[in-house]
Amino acid sequence: MSDTTVEPTSIPDDIAKLNFEEALNALEQIVKSLEGGQVSLEESIDIYTRGTQLRQHCDAKLKDASARIEKITKLQDGSLGTTALDDFE
């Protein structure tokens, strides 16, 4: 039986510098290129690898944003406080 574990791809510096919107736009361009079928096999492999790196970067940005979102709540003493996103429903 073969091992199907996929190691995370390291994120190149040029991708790490992108904000979420820039990375998502670059990923969308890669998808269009691949769907268009107008690239060589070698180029497809290269841009697929870059797309994987962009997706990982976007995932990390989303997880970071989710971790920072908080709900403002009114405490019993009347002051305002914050509650983690997971704590309210």
Side-chain angles (χ1 to χ4, degrees):
M1 198 183 298
S2 66
D3 184 355
T4 59
T5 304
V6 176
E7 292 296 320
T9 307
S10 63
I11 305 298
D13 290 341
D14 65 320
I15 291 177
K17 292 177 184 178
L18 298 176
N19 66 35
F20 177 80
E21 290 79 10
E22 293 166 335
L24 186 58
N25 185 45
L27 184 55
E28 289 171 346
Q29 293 304 314
I30 285 173
V31 170
K32 286 179 186 176
S33 294
L34 290 172
E35 287 179 345
Q38 300 299 318
V39 293
S40 68
L41 176 61
E42 293 81 16
E43 187 179 358
S44 293
I45 293 168
D46 290 343
I47 62 177
Y48 180 84
T49 300
R50 185 163 176 83
T52 300
Q53 295 164 339
L54 286 161
R55 183 195 52 80
Q56 289 174 345
H57 180 64
C58 287
D59 286 347
K61 291 284 189 184
L62 287 173
K63 286 178 186 173
D64 180 54
S66 293
R68 293 186 291 142
I69 295 174
E70 295 180 327
K71 176 184 171 189
I72 297 174
T73 58
K74 190 172 187 178
L75 303 176
Q76 288 180 347
D77 66 1
S79 64
L80 295 178
T82 59
T83 305
L85 176 65
D86 295 341
D87 292 345
F88 70 91
E89 295 179 15

